[in-house]
Amino acid sequence: MRLQTDPTHFSITAFLADQVTLVARQEQLSPGAAVLRIQELSRDTAGRARLLEIISDAWRKETNPTESSKIAALRSELAAWALHATPSDSLPRS
């Protein structure tokens, strides 16, 4: 499955869809389970760092230059959020 991200134009829909695709691939999960995993990882700094690591691993393994550039763009956007978010940015758990 090709990724949806266009490195020249940010799209939140593509950003989220591609996170799900990459986490599903890397962690060998169904798309629904990947969404839950992303939610789990997004709760704290360590989880966000792990999510960034999952995306980085996918980027290192990708051999198609077009797909690699999409993952690099996704990684860049995710890093900006993941590395600057603080625990107080998280919503309380229900």
Side-chain angles (χ1 to χ4, degrees):
M1 177 177 193
R2 287 194 153 167
L3 299 174
Q4 303 301 309
T5 296
D6 176 348
T8 62
H9 296 91
F10 182 78
S11 163
I12 191 67
T13 304
F15 176 74
L16 295 173
D18 288 349
Q19 281 186 67
V20 171
T21 298
L22 293 171
V23 169
R25 280 184 197 166
Q26 293 298 111
E27 304 252 313
Q28 298 180 351
L29 300 170
S30 69
V35 169
L36 295 175
R37 181 74 171 132
I38 291 167
Q39 289 174 343
E40 175 188 335
L41 292 171
S42 297
R43 289 188 178 127
D44 60 34
T45 305
R48 289 188 294 270
R50 175 66 186 129
L51 180 56
L52 185 58
E53 185 178 303
I54 291 168
I55 303 302
S56 295
D57 286 346
W59 180 56
R60 284 189 288 274
K61 292 176 183 177
E62 183 58 58
T63 58
N64 180 312
T66 302
E67 295 296 290
S68 181
S69 69
K70 293 175 183 181
I71 297 171
L74 176 73
R75 184 179 172 275
S76 176
E77 291 293 333
L78 183 61
W81 166 76
L83 299 179
H84 298 295
T86 64
S88 63
D89 293 338
S90 301
L91 296 174
R93 293 183 191 173
S94 344

